[in-house]
Amino acid sequence: MNLPNMQGAKIRTDKKVEHINLDNNIPKSFEGKKYFLRTYGCQMNVHDSEQIRKYLEKFGFTMTEELTEADIVVLNTCAIRENAHDKVFGFLGRCKHLKREKPELIIALGGCMSQEESVVNEIKAKHSYVDIVFGTHNIHELPKMILEANKKLNIMVYSYEGNVYENIKYSRDSKITAWVNIMYGCDKFCTYCIVPYTRGKQRSRKMENILEEVRELKELGYQEVTLLGQNVNAYGKDLDESYDFSVLLENVAKIGIPRVRFVTSHPWDFTDEMISLIAKHENIMPYIHLPLQSGSDRILKLMGRRYTKEEYLTLFNKIKENIPNVAITTDIIVGFPNETEEDFLETLDVVNKCQYDSAFTFIYSPREGTPASKIKDQTPYPEKEKRLQRLNEIINKYSLENNQKYIGKTEKVLLLGESEKDISKLYGYTETMKLVNVITDKDKVGKIIDVNITDAKSFSLDGKAI
Ligand code: 5AD
Ligand code: SF4
C-alpha cells in the first residue's frame, strides 16, 4: 500500500483540513500476544503513544517491557536532533536479530522520523525486515496496517498534513494527569526546526471537541489537564472561528479541573489577555515554558524567531510582575551556525537577567531540509560543547537558588506515585511544576496536599505532608 506521492519532509500543501470523527472499531485478533512500545522525544510523541497503545490493547495485545517477549514492536520516533536517528537504527538492529528467531514478529516504525524522506529511503534500501512505516498524520491507519502486516514492507506516510481526527481514544499513562491535544503542527518555521515539515502546518481542533474531552476527563476524576501543541498560543488562528487561545483557556479553566497547564508557548503569540487569565484563575497553574533559543538579536533573526532580546525581556518581566510566584522555564540552543562568543554572551546575559527556574539546553543539530542546515558553519564543535557546559553551570546555579527559596514554605503538591529514588516517599509537583519528594501516607496518591518544603536541590525539592 505504498502511497506514490510519499515525499517525506518536502511537501506542504494548502489542502483544506477537514475535521473527521474516527471509527474506533478494532477486532480482538491478537489476544494472548504482547507488544513492546518505545517512545522517543517530546510530550506530543508521548501523547501519540497513548493513542497507539489504545489500538494495541484493543487488538488484545498486552504490554511487555522485555523486547524478547514481544510479538509486535512499535517505535515512536523523534527527529528534532540528529542523535535520535542513530539510537533508532541501533534499536532496529536488535529487532532484526530477534526477527531471525521469531519471523512472525511485527516491527513498526512511526513518529517524526518516518516523515523524513531520507529515513524512508534508508528503510527501503537496508531494513526491509521492518513491516510497517507510519507517519505522524496517519496514526489512525496503524490498525489497518497491523492487520495487513507480515506480507511485505508496508509504508504509509502522508505527504500532506492530513485532517484533524476527533473521537480518538487513548490508553492514558496516568489516571491523575492527562494530555489534551488542542492543535497539530506548527506554522512558525524557525529556521533550525524540522517540526513544521514532520508535523505539517498548524491545524487546530474545534473548541467544542476539546471542551468535551476535558469534561470527560473531569468526570473520570482527573486532577490535571495539560493543553498540548507545538505552539499553543497560536491556537485557533487557522480556523474560521472568532475564538483564540485565551477563550479556549478560560473555557477549559471554567470546567473546574483542579489544575490546568499548557505547553508550549511561543513568545510572539503571547498576549496580555493570557497573562491576566493565568493571574485570575486559580486553577490555571502559574508555570510557563517560554523558549528563548538565543539572546542575540543577530542569531534570533537568523533563527526566524520574530522577537528581539529586548522584546523577550519585556514579555518576561510583564509575566513576572503580573502573575504572583510564577515559575518560568525555557529552551536554549547553543552553537547555531556561526554563533560567536559575543552572541553567546548575549544569551548568558538573558539567562542572568531571567534567572530561569530551569531550562532545556541543546547544541544546534543541523536537520536536513531546514534553511539553517544550508548555512556553512565555521564554529568548531568543541567550542559549542564548551558553551553548553558554561550555560548549564549557570542554569543549574539559578535552578538551585530558585528551589532554595521554597525551603520553609508550604506548597500545594499533586501526588502522582511512589518516588523513584526512595519508595518510602511519594513524588508530585507544585503548582509551579517543581518536582517534590514527599514524606506522606501512601493513600494520598492522586490528591493535592499541603507540603512543608524541607530541602532543595537543583532538580527537586524534599518535603513533608502537613
Ligand atoms: N537543534 C537543536 N535543538 C533544536 N530544537 C529544535 N530544533 C533543534 C535543532 N535543530 C530545540 C529547541 C526547541 C526544543 C523542543 O528543541 O530549543 O524549543
Ligand atoms: Fe519548531 Fe519554532 Fe514551531 Fe517550535 S515554534 S515547533 S521551534 S518551528
Side-chain angles (χ1 to χ4, degrees), residues 338-376:
N338 306 319
E339 180 193 67
T340 61
E341 173 68 14
E342 238 172 38
D343 292 320
F344 177 63
L345 289 176
E346 291 285 333
T347 299
L348 292 190
D349 185 43
V350 177
V351 170
N352 283 319
K353 289 194 164 101
C354 294
Q355 308 189 359
Y356 294 104
D357 283 273
S358 72
F360 297 101
T361 56
F362 312 99
I363 293 182
Y364 166 77
S365 167
R367 305 310 292 122
E368 201 185 318
T370 60
S373 70
K374 299 188 181 77
I375 305 172
K376 201 166 176 307

mmCIF file of all heavy atoms in Angstrom, residues 338-376:
data_model
loop_
_atom_site.group_PDB
_atom_site.id
_atom_site.type_symbol
_atom_site.label_atom_id
_atom_site.label_comp_id
_atom_site.label_asym_id
_atom_site.label_seq_id
_atom_site.Cartn_x
_atom_site.Cartn_y
_atom_site.Cartn_z
ATOM 1 N N ASN A 338 27.615 29.621 13.047
ATOM 2 C CA ASN A 338 28.418 30.839 13.144
ATOM 3 C C ASN A 338 28.090 31.714 14.346
ATOM 4 O O ASN A 338 28.382 32.905 14.353
ATOM 5 C CB ASN A 338 28.353 31.661 11.846
ATOM 6 C CG ASN A 338 28.734 30.830 10.652
ATOM 7 O OD1 ASN A 338 29.675 30.033 10.740
ATOM 8 N ND2 ASN A 338 28.014 30.950 9.557
ATOM 9 N N GLU A 339 27.502 31.111 15.374
ATOM 10 C CA GLU A 339 27.295 31.845 16.630
ATOM 11 C C GLU A 339 28.661 32.239 17.173
ATOM 12 O O GLU A 339 29.552 31.397 17.311
ATOM 13 C CB GLU A 339 26.570 30.951 17.638
ATOM 14 C CG GLU A 339 26.309 31.637 18.971
ATOM 15 C CD GLU A 339 25.869 30.651 20.059
ATOM 16 O OE1 GLU A 339 26.686 29.788 20.474
ATOM 17 O OE2 GLU A 339 24.702 30.747 20.490
ATOM 18 N N THR A 340 28.868 33.517 17.484
ATOM 19 C CA THR A 340 30.162 33.966 18.010
ATOM 20 C C THR A 340 30.116 33.977 19.531
ATOM 21 O O THR A 340 29.047 33.868 20.134
ATOM 22 C CB THR A 340 30.461 35.405 17.533
ATOM 23 O OG1 THR A 340 29.416 36.250 18.060
ATOM 24 C CG2 THR A 340 30.490 35.523 16.022
ATOM 25 N N GLU A 341 31.290 34.173 20.118
ATOM 26 C CA GLU A 341 31.375 34.305 21.585
ATOM 27 C C GLU A 341 30.479 35.466 22.032
ATOM 28 O O GLU A 341 29.775 35.373 23.034
ATOM 29 C CB GLU A 341 32.842 34.532 21.976
ATOM 30 C CG GLU A 341 33.088 34.855 23.438
ATOM 31 C CD GLU A 341 32.802 33.693 24.397
ATOM 32 O OE1 GLU A 341 32.662 32.543 23.932
ATOM 33 O OE2 GLU A 341 32.687 33.954 25.621
ATOM 34 N N GLU A 342 30.487 36.534 21.243
ATOM 35 C CA GLU A 342 29.655 37.708 21.584
ATOM 36 C C GLU A 342 28.162 37.353 21.593
ATOM 37 O O GLU A 342 27.428 37.732 22.495
ATOM 38 C CB GLU A 342 29.851 38.781 20.514
ATOM 39 C CG GLU A 342 30.355 40.079 21.049
ATOM 40 C CD GLU A 342 30.719 41.019 19.906
ATOM 41 O OE1 GLU A 342 29.993 41.039 18.878
ATOM 42 O OE2 GLU A 342 31.728 41.707 20.052
ATOM 43 N N ASP A 343 27.748 36.624 20.552
ATOM 44 C CA ASP A 343 26.337 36.168 20.502
ATOM 45 C C ASP A 343 26.019 35.349 21.745
ATOM 46 O O ASP A 343 24.977 35.519 22.382
ATOM 47 C CB ASP A 343 26.089 35.284 19.266
ATOM 48 C CG ASP A 343 26.185 36.055 17.964
ATOM 49 O OD1 ASP A 343 25.702 37.195 17.913
ATOM 50 O OD2 ASP A 343 26.742 35.486 16.995
ATOM 51 N N PHE A 344 26.937 34.436 22.056
ATOM 52 C CA PHE A 344 26.703 33.543 23.190
ATOM 53 C C PHE A 344 26.605 34.338 24.501
ATOM 54 O O PHE A 344 25.762 34.052 25.357
ATOM 55 C CB PHE A 344 27.837 32.499 23.254
ATOM 56 C CG PHE A 344 27.728 31.589 24.433
ATOM 57 C CD1 PHE A 344 26.636 30.739 24.579
ATOM 58 C CD2 PHE A 344 28.709 31.589 25.423
ATOM 59 C CE1 PHE A 344 26.518 29.900 25.687
ATOM 60 C CE2 PHE A 344 28.596 30.755 26.534
ATOM 61 C CZ PHE A 344 27.499 29.912 26.663
ATOM 62 N N LEU A 345 27.457 35.375 24.621
ATOM 63 C CA LEU A 345 27.406 36.189 25.846
ATOM 64 C C LEU A 345 26.056 36.896 25.980
ATOM 65 O O LEU A 345 25.568 37.128 27.088
ATOM 66 C CB LEU A 345 28.564 37.194 25.873
ATOM 67 C CG LEU A 345 29.949 36.564 26.094
ATOM 68 C CD1 LEU A 345 31.053 37.618 26.021
ATOM 69 C CD2 LEU A 345 30.015 35.807 27.422
ATOM 70 N N GLU A 346 25.448 37.233 24.840
ATOM 71 C CA GLU A 346 24.098 37.840 24.875
ATOM 72 C C GLU A 346 23.100 36.840 25.462
ATOM 73 O O GLU A 346 22.201 37.198 26.215
ATOM 74 C CB GLU A 346 23.648 38.229 23.463
ATOM 75 C CG GLU A 346 24.414 39.384 22.841
ATOM 76 C CD GLU A 346 23.995 40.717 23.433
ATOM 77 O OE1 GLU A 346 22.853 40.830 23.896
ATOM 78 O OE2 GLU A 346 24.834 41.637 23.438
ATOM 79 N N THR A 347 23.251 35.568 25.092
ATOM 80 C CA THR A 347 22.377 34.531 25.662
ATOM 81 C C THR A 347 22.585 34.448 27.169
ATOM 82 O O THR A 347 21.622 34.430 27.943
ATOM 83 C CB THR A 347 22.663 33.162 25.000
ATOM 84 O OG1 THR A 347 22.398 33.275 23.606
ATOM 85 C CG2 THR A 347 21.791 32.059 25.590
ATOM 86 N N LEU A 348 23.870 34.429 27.578
ATOM 87 C CA LEU A 348 24.141 34.368 29.021
ATOM 88 C C LEU A 348 23.561 35.588 29.734
ATOM 89 O O LEU A 348 23.065 35.482 30.867
ATOM 90 C CB LEU A 348 25.649 34.280 29.281
ATOM 91 C CG LEU A 348 26.352 32.996 28.855
ATOM 92 C CD1 LEU A 348 27.784 32.953 29.407
ATOM 93 C CD2 LEU A 348 25.605 31.749 29.295
ATOM 94 N N ASP A 349 23.592 36.732 29.055
ATOM 95 C CA ASP A 349 23.046 37.954 29.660
ATOM 96 C C ASP A 349 21.544 37.794 29.949
ATOM 97 O O ASP A 349 21.065 38.140 31.024
ATOM 98 C CB ASP A 349 23.296 39.141 28.714
ATOM 99 C CG ASP A 349 22.868 40.455 29.348
ATOM 100 O OD1 ASP A 349 23.166 40.642 30.552
ATOM 101 O OD2 ASP A 349 22.206 41.261 28.671
ATOM 102 N N VAL A 350 20.825 37.219 28.986
ATOM 103 C CA VAL A 350 19.379 36.998 29.206
ATOM 104 C C VAL A 350 19.185 36.003 30.351
ATOM 105 O O VAL A 350 18.343 36.197 31.230
ATOM 106 C CB VAL A 350 18.675 36.486 27.919
ATOM 107 C CG1 VAL A 350 17.193 36.210 28.209
ATOM 108 C CG2 VAL A 350 18.810 37.488 26.793
ATOM 109 N N VAL A 351 19.988 34.945 30.356
ATOM 110 C CA VAL A 351 19.855 33.938 31.422
ATOM 111 C C VAL A 351 20.109 34.590 32.780
ATOM 112 O O VAL A 351 19.374 34.347 33.748
ATOM 113 C CB VAL A 351 20.834 32.752 31.181
ATOM 114 C CG1 VAL A 351 20.886 31.823 32.390
ATOM 115 C CG2 VAL A 351 20.415 31.983 29.939
ATOM 116 N N ASN A 352 21.117 35.455 32.849
ATOM 117 C CA ASN A 352 21.392 36.137 34.122
ATOM 118 C C ASN A 352 20.260 37.078 34.517
ATOM 119 O O ASN A 352 19.967 37.255 35.690
ATOM 120 C CB ASN A 352 22.713 36.907 34.038
ATOM 121 C CG ASN A 352 23.898 35.955 34.164
ATOM 122 O OD1 ASN A 352 23.877 35.028 34.974
ATOM 123 N ND2 ASN A 352 24.910 36.140 33.336
ATOM 124 N N LYS A 353 19.631 37.684 33.526
ATOM 125 C CA LYS A 353 18.523 38.596 33.846
ATOM 126 C C LYS A 353 17.274 37.806 34.241
ATOM 127 O O LYS A 353 16.543 38.183 35.147
ATOM 128 C CB LYS A 353 18.216 39.491 32.643
ATOM 129 C CG LYS A 353 19.318 40.531 32.408
ATOM 130 C CD LYS A 353 18.861 41.615 31.449
ATOM 131 C CE LYS A 353 19.785 42.818 31.540
ATOM 132 N NZ LYS A 353 20.764 42.874 30.451
ATOM 133 N N CYS A 354 16.999 36.714 33.529
ATOM 134 C CA CYS A 354 15.742 35.975 33.775
ATOM 135 C C CYS A 354 15.847 34.976 34.927
ATOM 136 O O CYS A 354 14.846 34.654 35.549
ATOM 137 C CB CYS A 354 15.310 35.243 32.504
ATOM 138 S SG CYS A 354 14.861 36.354 31.167
ATOM 139 N N GLN A 355 17.049 34.515 35.193
ATOM 140 C CA GLN A 355 17.246 33.549 36.295
ATOM 141 C C GLN A 355 16.156 32.464 36.274
ATOM 142 O O GLN A 355 15.379 32.318 37.220
ATOM 143 C CB GLN A 355 17.262 34.286 37.636
ATOM 144 C CG GLN A 355 18.255 35.424 37.623
ATOM 145 C CD GLN A 355 18.490 36.057 38.992
ATOM 146 O OE1 GLN A 355 17.887 35.668 39.983
ATOM 147 N NE2 GLN A 355 19.376 37.014 39.033
ATOM 148 N N TYR A 356 16.120 31.740 35.179
ATOM 149 C CA TYR A 356 15.054 30.748 34.954
ATOM 150 C C TYR A 356 14.959 29.706 36.059
ATOM 151 O O TYR A 356 15.972 29.359 36.672
ATOM 152 C CB TYR A 356 15.317 30.006 33.637
ATOM 153 C CG TYR A 356 15.202 30.876 32.422
ATOM 154 C CD1 TYR A 356 16.338 31.313 31.749
ATOM 155 C CD2 TYR A 356 13.951 31.277 31.944
ATOM 156 C CE1 TYR A 356 16.243 32.119 30.625
ATOM 157 C CE2 TYR A 356 13.848 32.081 30.820
ATOM 158 C CZ TYR A 356 15.000 32.500 30.172
ATOM 159 O OH TYR A 356 14.906 33.301 29.068
ATOM 160 N N ASP A 357 13.769 29.186 36.241
ATOM 161 C CA ASP A 357 13.586 28.082 37.186
ATOM 162 C C ASP A 357 14.304 26.837 36.697
ATOM 163 O O ASP A 357 14.859 26.079 37.484
ATOM 164 C CB ASP A 357 12.103 27.810 37.402
ATOM 165 C CG ASP A 357 11.528 28.864 38.324
ATOM 166 O OD1 ASP A 357 11.598 28.687 39.552
ATOM 167 O OD2 ASP A 357 11.046 29.893 37.807
ATOM 168 N N SER A 358 14.255 26.604 35.404
ATOM 169 C CA SER A 358 15.115 25.581 34.796
ATOM 170 C C SER A 358 15.087 25.759 33.286
ATOM 171 O O SER A 358 14.304 26.578 32.766
ATOM 172 C CB SER A 358 14.692 24.161 35.179
ATOM 173 O OG SER A 358 13.503 23.833 34.532
ATOM 174 N N ALA A 359 15.933 25.007 32.592
ATOM 175 C CA ALA A 359 15.995 25.168 31.139
ATOM 176 C C ALA A 359 16.433 23.877 30.483
ATOM 177 O O ALA A 359 17.215 23.109 31.053
ATOM 178 C CB ALA A 359 16.973 26.281 30.784
ATOM 179 N N PHE A 360 15.905 23.640 29.295
ATOM 180 C CA PHE A 360 16.408 22.570 28.442
ATOM 181 C C PHE A 360 17.408 23.216 27.500
ATOM 182 O O PHE A 360 17.068 24.187 26.806
ATOM 183 C CB PHE A 360 15.285 21.923 27.641
ATOM 184 C CG PHE A 360 14.264 21.245 28.514
ATOM 185 C CD1 PHE A 360 13.057 21.851 28.787
ATOM 186 C CD2 PHE A 360 14.529 19.994 29.066
ATOM 187 C CE1 PHE A 360 12.114 21.230 29.603
ATOM 188 C CE2 PHE A 360 13.597 19.372 29.877
ATOM 189 C CZ PHE A 360 12.390 19.987 30.150
ATOM 190 N N THR A 361 18.622 22.695 27.476
ATOM 191 C CA THR A 361 19.649 23.319 26.643
ATOM 192 C C THR A 361 20.167 22.308 25.618
ATOM 193 O O THR A 361 20.302 21.117 25.929
ATOM 194 C CB THR A 361 20.817 23.797 27.530
ATOM 195 O OG1 THR A 361 21.303 22.678 28.284
ATOM 196 C CG2 THR A 361 20.370 24.900 28.472
ATOM 197 N N PHE A 362 20.413 22.782 24.424
ATOM 198 C CA PHE A 362 20.788 21.884 23.331
ATOM 199 C C PHE A 362 21.919 22.484 22.510
ATOM 200 O O PHE A 362 21.996 23.699 22.343
ATOM 201 C CB PHE A 362 19.608 21.686 22.361
ATOM 202 C CG PHE A 362 18.311 21.370 23.053
ATOM 203 C CD1 PHE A 362 17.365 22.365 23.283
ATOM 204 C CD2 PHE A 362 18.031 20.084 23.472
ATOM 205 C CE1 PHE A 362 16.166 22.078 23.915
ATOM 206 C CE2 PHE A 362 16.837 19.786 24.105
ATOM 207 C CZ PHE A 362 15.900 20.781 24.331
ATOM 208 N N ILE A 363 22.750 21.589 21.957
ATOM 209 C CA ILE A 363 23.689 22.043 20.925
ATOM 210 C C ILE A 363 22.937 21.967 19.601
ATOM 211 O O ILE A 363 22.243 20.976 19.336
ATOM 212 C CB ILE A 363 24.944 21.137 20.878
ATOM 213 C CG1 ILE A 363 25.741 21.318 22.165
ATOM 214 C CG2 ILE A 363 25.802 21.476 19.654
ATOM 215 C CD1 ILE A 363 27.032 20.503 22.215
ATOM 216 N N TYR A 364 23.065 23.008 18.796
ATOM 217 C CA TYR A 364 22.381 23.036 17.496
ATOM 218 C C TYR A 364 22.708 21.769 16.691
ATOM 219 O O TYR A 364 23.865 21.356 16.608
ATOM 220 C CB TYR A 364 22.815 24.284 16.710
ATOM 221 C CG TYR A 364 22.422 24.216 15.265
ATOM 222 C CD1 TYR A 364 21.106 24.457 14.875
ATOM 223 C CD2 TYR A 364 23.363 23.879 14.281
ATOM 224 C CE1 TYR A 364 20.736 24.358 13.546
ATOM 225 C CE2 TYR A 364 23.000 23.780 12.954
ATOM 226 C CZ TYR A 364 21.682 24.019 12.594
ATOM 227 O OH TYR A 364 21.324 23.913 11.286
ATOM 228 N N SER A 365 21.670 21.208 16.111
ATOM 229 C CA SER A 365 21.852 20.000 15.303
ATOM 230 C C SER A 365 21.244 20.263 13.916
ATOM 231 O O SER A 365 20.056 20.563 13.812
ATOM 232 C CB SER A 365 21.122 18.860 16.019
ATOM 233 O OG SER A 365 20.989 17.750 15.201
ATOM 234 N N PRO A 366 22.075 20.223 12.858
ATOM 235 C CA PRO A 366 21.530 20.542 11.529
ATOM 236 C C PRO A 366 20.527 19.492 11.078
ATOM 237 O O PRO A 366 20.808 18.293 11.159
ATOM 238 C CB PRO A 366 22.765 20.528 10.625
ATOM 239 C CG PRO A 366 23.871 19.940 11.416
ATOM 240 C CD PRO A 366 23.492 19.882 12.856
ATOM 241 N N ARG A 367 19.357 19.914 10.648
ATOM 242 C CA ARG A 367 18.325 18.985 10.193
ATOM 243 C C ARG A 367 18.092 19.185 8.704
ATOM 244 O O ARG A 367 17.758 20.309 8.268
ATOM 245 C CB ARG A 367 17.012 19.186 10.971
ATOM 246 C CG ARG A 367 17.108 19.090 12.469
ATOM 247 C CD ARG A 367 17.844 17.844 12.995
ATOM 248 N NE ARG A 367 17.154 16.588 12.780
ATOM 249 C CZ ARG A 367 17.654 15.546 12.109
ATOM 250 N NH1 ARG A 367 18.857 15.593 11.588
ATOM 251 N NH2 ARG A 367 16.959 14.458 11.975
ATOM 252 N N GLU A 368 18.241 18.100 7.963
ATOM 253 C CA GLU A 368 18.111 18.144 6.507
ATOM 254 C C GLU A 368 16.771 18.762 6.098
ATOM 255 O O GLU A 368 15.731 18.430 6.671
ATOM 256 C CB GLU A 368 18.184 16.708 5.991
ATOM 257 C CG GLU A 368 18.562 16.608 4.540
ATOM 258 C CD GLU A 368 18.487 15.152 4.073
ATOM 259 O OE1 GLU A 368 18.921 14.255 4.818
ATOM 260 O OE2 GLU A 368 17.973 14.951 2.960
ATOM 261 N N GLY A 369 16.837 19.670 5.134
ATOM 262 C CA GLY A 369 15.600 20.276 4.636
ATOM 263 C C GLY A 369 15.267 21.602 5.301
ATOM 264 O O GLY A 369 14.445 22.364 4.811
ATOM 265 N N THR A 370 15.927 21.902 6.428
ATOM 266 C CA THR A 370 15.652 23.191 7.076
ATOM 267 C C THR A 370 16.599 24.257 6.518
ATOM 268 O O THR A 370 17.723 23.939 6.127
ATOM 269 C CB THR A 370 15.871 23.101 8.610
ATOM 270 O OG1 THR A 370 17.237 22.733 8.850
ATOM 271 C CG2 THR A 370 14.942 22.093 9.253
ATOM 272 N N PRO A 371 16.168 25.539 6.503
ATOM 273 C CA PRO A 371 17.033 26.587 5.958
ATOM 274 C C PRO A 371 18.378 26.694 6.675
ATOM 275 O O PRO A 371 19.417 26.874 6.034
ATOM 276 C CB PRO A 371 16.217 27.868 6.171
ATOM 277 C CG PRO A 371 14.798 27.413 6.310
ATOM 278 C CD PRO A 371 14.840 26.035 6.886
ATOM 279 N N ALA A 372 18.394 26.541 8.008
ATOM 280 C CA ALA A 372 19.658 26.719 8.742
ATOM 281 C C ALA A 372 20.691 25.675 8.351
ATOM 282 O O ALA A 372 21.899 25.940 8.396
ATOM 283 C CB ALA A 372 19.393 26.656 10.249
ATOM 284 N N SER A 373 20.216 24.488 7.940
ATOM 285 C CA SER A 373 21.171 23.414 7.626
ATOM 286 C C SER A 373 21.988 23.744 6.374
ATOM 287 O O SER A 373 23.001 23.108 6.101
ATOM 288 C CB SER A 373 20.435 22.085 7.439
ATOM 289 O OG SER A 373 19.670 22.111 6.255
ATOM 290 N N LYS A 374 21.557 24.755 5.629
ATOM 291 C CA LYS A 374 22.302 25.122 4.417
ATOM 292 C C LYS A 374 23.407 26.145 4.702
ATOM 293 O O LYS A 374 24.230 26.430 3.837
ATOM 294 C CB LYS A 374 21.337 25.682 3.370
ATOM 295 C CG LYS A 374 20.298 24.646 2.970
ATOM 296 C CD LYS A 374 19.436 25.092 1.795
ATOM 297 C CE LYS A 374 18.419 24.023 1.475
ATOM 298 N NZ LYS A 374 17.268 23.981 2.394
ATOM 299 N N ILE A 375 23.404 26.706 5.917
ATOM 300 C CA ILE A 375 24.423 27.709 6.250
ATOM 301 C C ILE A 375 25.758 27.002 6.502
ATOM 302 O O ILE A 375 25.814 26.000 7.216
ATOM 303 C CB ILE A 375 24.030 28.489 7.540
ATOM 304 C CG1 ILE A 375 22.642 29.115 7.410
ATOM 305 C CG2 ILE A 375 25.076 29.557 7.865
ATOM 306 C CD1 ILE A 375 22.115 29.735 8.696
ATOM 307 N N LYS A 376 26.826 27.554 5.892
ATOM 308 C CA LYS A 376 28.146 26.950 6.130
ATOM 309 C C LYS A 376 28.627 27.398 7.512
ATOM 310 O O LYS A 376 28.764 28.588 7.767
ATOM 311 C CB LYS A 376 29.123 27.396 5.028
ATOM 312 C CG LYS A 376 30.287 26.476 4.908
ATOM 313 C CD LYS A 376 31.062 26.727 3.615
ATOM 314 C CE LYS A 376 32.302 25.863 3.554
ATOM 315 N NZ LYS A 376 33.198 25.941 4.692
#
